[in-house]
Amino acid sequence: MKRSVHLLARGRVQGVGFRWFAQREAARRGLAGWVRNLSGGDVEAWAEGEELAVRDWLERLREGPSGARVEHLLTVWGAPAGGAVFEMRPTAPAQEPFQ
């Protein structure tokens, strides 16, 4: 079954290659979506694909690349939107509350 997840990664997740890591791991699992830095220091991402692949991707993000320290990984599950690629987006303003 296909699912999507919207996430917010908190901790030391900027300046350590976290977005590149997220994009590479998503590509390995055939996921579509996006990842971007937020001006407050967090990283936001959205991905969709087979549920098991999305869950596996989340587990890799909890570990992060070397140099990262993921303190919190907030997730909101949803329905897929039919995306085809996984891309990096420009930095955006911090969002509160996360949705």
Side-chain angles (χ1 to χ4, degrees):
M1 175 169 71
K2 291 198 175 195
R3 299 277 310 269
S4 73
V5 68
H6 187 193
L7 70 89
L8 187 68
R10 292 192 163 149
R12 185 175 26 187
V13 292
Q14 289 191 14
V16 294
F18 192 88
R19 290 176 304 147
W20 296 101
F21 179 83
Q23 184 179 39
R24 183 185 72 228
E25 295 298 322
R28 287 181 176 168
R29 289 159 181 78
L31 303 179
W34 51 266
V35 62
R36 66 184 176 186
N37 284 338
L38 297 178
S39 60
D42 299 331
V43 171
E44 180 184 23
W46 183 88
E48 69 175 81
E50 291 299 326
E51 183 174 356
L52 291 176
V54 173
R55 288 185 183 280
D56 186 53
W57 180 69
L58 287 173
E59 287 306 311
R60 291 292 293 144
L61 294 187
R62 279 181 176 75
E63 298 169 19
S66 64
R69 187 180 70 242
V70 180
E71 295 172 0
H72 298 287
L73 194 64
L74 308 169
T75 59
V76 177
W77 287 89
V85 298
F86 195 95
E87 63 186 13
M88 252 189 266
R89 291 188 174 174
T91 299
Q95 301 179 52
E96 290 296 333
F98 174 72
Q99 333 180 11

